[in-house]
Amino acid sequence: MVRVWIAAAIIGLSCVGSALAQSQPSLEQAFEDAQLASAPGAGVALADGAARIAAADPSLNRVFEVHREAEARRRALETVLASLRAQGAQAAERARGVAGDLEQATLEAAGLRQRLDQAFPAFAGLTDPTPLTIAQVQALLSPHEALVLILPTERGAYVWAVTHETAVWRRADMTAGEIEQAALRLQSGLRAEGGRGAVDAARPGRSAGGFDRAAASALYTALWRPLEATLSDHRLVYVVVDGPLRSVPPGVLVTAAPSGDDRDPEALRATAWFERRHAFALLPAVVSLKAVRRATREEGRGFVGFGAVNTKAYPEGTQPKALPPLPGTRRELEGLARVLGSPRRGVRLGNEATEAAVRRADLSGAAVIAFATHALPGRDERSEAAQEPALVLSPSPLTQDGDDGLLTASEAARLRLNADLVILSACDTGRDDPQAQGLNSLSRAFFYAGARALMVSNWRIRDDVAERLSVRAIALARRNRQGVSEALNRAALEMMEDRSDPSFAHPSQWSSFSVVGDGAVRINGG
């Protein structure tokens, strides 16, 4: 919050009333200052993973591995320490011990980082968090791409749009508090309680007032309408946002005054959704664009999938035991393998989809990796105890030590990937607290492991919707040789217009997934 205030103050020096001076020096300075206000979180993890992939020299593997292990230990201790401190005085003695361990781990990681910098001098430049200039961003964008950075403050919202050819910035009068209230109204119409499920637009009263299209229109008008002319010819828009806006996919905003009942499927289909104009990809930070664009990929690599897990094999009283079966996950993974032309042996289902199987698999050779299962949240809302988010897998036989059936974020971060896309088809896998320490989210973990892009769920996604959107998006991406964001956009628009299920018209269904990372990545299959 302090960084946001400082950046807003600097930006404000260049403002005249509610309009911003468009001189190049003020534009450049304000754009770089705004980047300093972002907590990088997953962006740092993405940069580290991409830098490892960029160093193709096999002789560097051991240096990377030792450094990664040290960093994993340091980050794990950060998470443990944060949990203990949250417990207060009762855990004070343990917290002091962990703090000492963390100090030692930090020194060890720093020493190993120095060795890594010596062995691979480009590493420092590749992971440099220094803000990018406008010219650097423009050099990374293709002619049909744009990047939008939104910084809400209590003095108003500051919005930048950068394309391959131009750059503009604007100030909106909507304050951070007003944006938060509008975002919360939208979230209440998008999120649902229960398991892998979502709001059903065909059932009146399922969510009070349906989806608030007026709030969606107000947000669009304040933040995006001033950029219409700049973005008009750019199909893929990278979006960097913070705070409550992170939980509102840009495509659910409304570009013209809505009419009709917010719960009426026909009125929803007739709505001028922003999704109809652009495909979107979320970036953790502006500098993340440098990370996703620097790693090369080999053509024609394979697919690996895990899902249709056997939760009934867990012991009584455990959290996974109470989770319902997900029949759509088997169809989803088999469908992904089919459209990618990948052998069935790359898919682990049921009792074969174990944590041990994930560790044994050669994931570094897979272009696409998918997990279709349940996910456990990163914090138990019934207590103050912190816990890592995790993907639920089938439990292994008790003879296999260290396998509890849950692939936690810190365990996922230790995987060795070189993936174009990782699909996390489970509930709320896109959640990430940018202020929290460590690899506290699944997105950070898989970026750190070496993913170039992620397809994540924005809330508690419905079983059949997850199956349909992911398989259709990958089929379109491969058939049309489209980037994954544009393919997901087209799959969403198809669902929106499908009258076989009235609930498909609701944005809680068609906007269930988002792409984070390189939205232009192409899927070639195995």
Side-chain angles (χ1 to χ4, degrees):
M1 184 60 68
V2 172
R3 287 187 296 174
V4 171
W5 184 87
I6 292 173
I10 296 173
I11 293 166
L13 295 177
S14 301
C15 301
V16 179
S18 62
L20 294 184
Q22 294 292 306
S23 67
Q24 192 64 21
S26 64
L27 177 62
E28 287 277 8
Q29 186 63 57
F31 183 66
E32 294 176 35
D33 291 338
Q35 294 176 60
L36 294 174
S38 301
V44 173
L46 193 159
D48 287 346
R52 176 184 60 78
I53 294 168
D57 185 351
S59 65
L60 293 175
N61 286 349
R62 181 57 185 163
V63 181
F64 268 116
E65 202 60 44
V66 173
H67 176 257
R68 278 163 54 86
E69 290 171 0
E71 273 296 302
R73 172 173 166 74
R74 183 187 67 79
R75 293 171 190 265
L77 286 170
E78 282 183 339
T79 301
V80 172
L81 182 59
S83 174
L84 291 173
R85 285 175 171 168
Q87 297 175 38
Q90 61 181 356
E93 185 173 348
R94 289 180 60 200
R96 283 192 292 272
V98 172
D101 292 342
L102 175 59
E103 183 177 0
Q104 181 61 34
T106 300
L107 291 174
E108 292 177 2
L112 289 166
R113 172 59 188 266
Q114 186 175 9
R115 285 180 53 195
L116 180 57
D117 287 340
Q118 292 171 348
F120 179 35
F123 185 86
L126 291 172
T127 57
D128 184 5
T130 302
L132 298 182
T133 65
I134 290 173
Q136 288 173 322
V137 172
Q138 289 177 323
L140 292 167
L141 294 171
S142 70
H144 71 283
E145 295 175 339
L147 181 142
V148 170
L149 168 63
I150 301 176
L151 177 66
T153 78
E154 289 308 325
R155 301 178 58 179
Y158 301 86
V159 186
W160 289 259
V162 182
T163 73
H164 189 68
E165 306 86 11
T166 189
V168 299
W169 63 323
R170 300 286 187 265
R171 177 183 177 274
D173 290 332
M174 185 176 273
T175 66
E178 293 168 338
I179 289 172
E180 179 178 8
Q181 290 304 309
L184 290 175
R185 285 197 294 273
L186 299 187
Q187 290 175 27
S188 69
L190 293 169
R191 293 185 172 271
E193 297 180 357
R196 190 165 133 160
V199 175
D200 185 347
R203 294 167 57 190
R206 183 68 174 90
S207 67
F211 181 73
D212 192 340
R213 292 178 296 158
S217 178
L219 271 178
Y220 173 81
T221 299
L223 302 178
W224 290 88
R225 179 163 290 167
L227 308 177
E228 281 182 347
T230 303
L231 301 178
S232 61
D233 295 327
H234 297 82
R235 182 75 184 114
L236 174 59
V237 178
Y238 288 97
V239 183
V240 181
V241 295
D242 210 346
L245 281 178
R246 291 167 62 91
S247 299
V248 179
V252 307
L253 300 184
V254 177
T255 64
S259 61
D261 191 322
D262 283 341
R263 295 174 297 179
D264 176 19
E266 289 303 321
L268 291 173
R269 286 192 198 94
T271 300
W273 301 109
F274 204 15
E275 189 78 13
R276 300 185 189 277
R277 294 190 180 180
H278 303 284
F280 298 96
L282 307 180
L283 287 176
V286 173
V287 72
S288 300
L289 187 64
K290 180 176 67 173
V292 300
R293 289 293 160 87
R294 65 182 169 226
T296 59
R297 295 293 189 267
E298 299 174 5
E299 294 270 340
R301 296 175 302 122
F303 167 70
V304 178
F306 303 88
V309 302
N310 181 9
T311 57
K312 299 308 177 186
Y314 278 88
E316 292 291 340
T318 60
Q319 191 173 2
K321 179 74 172 182
L323 297 172
L326 298 172
T329 57
R330 176 181 293 271
R331 298 190 300 267
E332 182 176 3
L333 292 172
E334 291 177 340
L336 287 169
R338 183 176 62 254
V339 300
L340 286 167
S342 179
R344 169 64 177 76
R345 64 177 179 272
V347 179
R348 305 286 188 271
L349 299 172
N351 291 328
E352 295 182 356
T354 64
E355 184 182 349
V358 174
R359 291 199 299 265
R360 288 195 304 266
D362 180 15
L363 301 180
S364 63
V368 179
I369 302 169
F371 293 86
T373 180
H374 288 286
L376 300 182
R379 179 175 292 275
D380 186 347
E381 296 178 354
R382 295 166 297 182
S383 72
E384 292 298 320
Q387 64 184 36
E388 283 194 82
L391 296 171
V392 177
L393 298 166
S394 295
S396 296
L398 296 179
T399 55
Q400 294 184 291
D401 295 335
D403 185 350
D404 59 2
L406 302 179
L407 184 67
T408 64
S410 60
E411 290 168 337
R414 297 188 187 102
L415 299 174
R416 295 274 309 188
L417 311 182
N418 189 8
D420 293 331
L421 178 68
V422 173
I423 302 172
L424 300 179
S425 186
C427 291
D428 242 346
T429 56
R431 180 177 296 183
D432 178 49
D433 179 2
Q435 303 295 340
Q437 293 183 319
L439 293 167
N440 71 316
S441 76
L442 292 168
S443 59
R444 295 191 197 191
F446 280 97
F447 276 140
Y448 189 71
R452 185 177 179 183
L454 303 176
M455 186 184 295
V456 297
S457 60
N458 295 313
W459 38 77
R460 296 182 184 275
I461 191 169
R462 207 168 82 185
D463 192 28
D464 61 328
V465 168
E467 173 195 353
R468 171 171 174 157
L469 281 176
S470 66
V471 175
R472 183 58 176 160
I474 299 307
L476 289 168
R478 191 177 185 205
R479 186 187 73 188
N480 300 332
R481 296 192 64 81
Q482 295 175 322
V484 67
S485 284
E486 187 167 355
L488 179 60
N489 166 261
R490 292 184 182 277
L493 295 177
E494 287 180 1
M495 174 174 281
M496 186 191 304
E497 299 299 333
D498 185 348
R499 285 172 166 74
S500 66
D501 183 339
S503 70
F504 288 166
H506 199 284
S508 65
Q509 308 292 6
W510 52 259
S511 67
S512 294
F513 279 124
S514 288
V515 172
V516 186
D518 189 355
V521 67
R522 298 197 175 190
I523 308 300
N524 299 309

